[in-house]
DNA sequence: AACCGTACTTACCCGAGGGTGAGTACCCCA
DNA sequence: TGGGGTACTCACCCTCGGGTAAGTACGGTT
């Protein structure tokens, strides 16, 4: 508890949306889940080069709380947990596409590099 | 110097766009300038309830560096500085509208309050 | 018996982002 | 003469987001 002071009050819609997406890895998680449909914890970890397990768990939990991500646990002996997007997660992703295009255009403009997976 | 480690490398376009918008007041500044066209420093300060002068200057400078904001100084005796959006600022604002709509919808869903201007 | 892989939790630490409050130079107005 | 308005700068402080590293319970592999 005392985890987050989220859920407003907000200045505007942008503010409310940013609250949910702010976090170093959240847009990437969103994209990864949108791209693959369903991902297990370790798959996500491998898909986000550089993320720590702590942050991945933490972000996933917050996104679950915010209704963006669905978490399904299989009570098997080697643990198995599957993550996927809810309809709200999907629609958020859609709302982010134009921003993504703007960012891509900006990267082109300023000649920024992409992070390499190494 | 040593001001910002911005300008990538980025994971993706979202990342590049978020870099430019991340900052407590930046989306609000963007909106305020889009809404009024041209604003002076003190007008912006009054338009963003709660912002400190330090943060306002700092954000405006970064947004100027990032090519979002145009800063015009009039060498008058009571200082006069006018801020407005560049074409990149305008297009970023446009790219943010769908996100803003998503956020507004989310506020409605969770029943979040708006910040009151007092 | 030792080690890897699953999906985490816990404790600790650091730097940056942001807030507070003061100072600056000049003018206008009461 | 003093207070308010213009647009800032500077120094200090403090929270918190994020990183590192270790521990956990269980089984399959070598």
């Amino acid at each position: 508890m005392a985890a987050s002071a989220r859920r407003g009050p907000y200045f505007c819609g942008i503010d409310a949306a940013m609250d949910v997406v702010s976090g170093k890895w959240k847009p990437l998680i969103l994209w990864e889940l949108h791209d693959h449909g369903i991902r297990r914890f370790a798959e996500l970890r491998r898909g986000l080069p550089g993320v720590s397990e702590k942050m991945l768990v933490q972000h996933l939990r917050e996104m679950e709380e915010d209704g963006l991500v669905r978490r399904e646990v299989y009570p098997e002996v080697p643990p198995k947990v599957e993550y996927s997007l809810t309809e709200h997660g999907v629609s958020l992703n859609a709302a982010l596409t134009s921003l993504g295009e703007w960012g891509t255009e900006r990267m082109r403009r300023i000649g920024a590099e992409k992070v390499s997976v190494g």
Side-chain angles (χ1 to χ4, degrees), chain A:
Chain A
M1 46 223 68
S4 46
R6 17 190 52 245
R7 287 149 201 270
Y10 300 122
F11 290 103
C12 61
I14 305 270
D15 204 16
M18 297 283 280
D19 183 20
V20 143
V21 194
S22 73
K24 191 169 176 183
W25 306 97
K26 287 193 184 174
L28 281 309
I29 293 174
L30 229 42
W31 179 256
E32 190 77 7
L33 288 180
H34 171 258
D35 213 25
H36 295 84
I38 290 184
R39 295 255 92 178
R40 299 182 59 179
F41 185 83
E43 289 172 334
L44 282 171
R45 196 204 317 140
R46 285 189 287 265
L48 310 184
V51 73
S52 67
E53 300 195 338
K54 179 190 122 183
M55 286 315 300
L56 186 51
V57 176
Q58 188 174 309
H59 281 169
L60 284 169
R61 289 291 142 83
E62 289 179 7
M63 295 170 79
E64 196 191 351
E65 265 183 49
D66 290 333
L68 305 177
V69 161
R70 188 178 300 113
R71 180 168 177 269
E72 192 150 6
V73 183
Y74 296 83
E76 302 176 0
V77 161
K80 179 176 172 184
V81 181
E82 284 183 350
Y83 293 94
S84 56
L85 293 184
T86 64
E87 58 164 323
H88 294 316
V90 172
S91 67
L92 175 56
N93 224 304
L96 280 169
T97 53
S98 61
L99 189 64
E101 283 162 17
W102 189 93
T104 306
E105 175 64 16
R106 173 177 126 93
M107 288 174 69
R108 215 188 42 67
R109 270 208 321 273
I110 68 177
E113 307 157 30
K114 262 198 154 183
V115 101
S116 59
V117 189

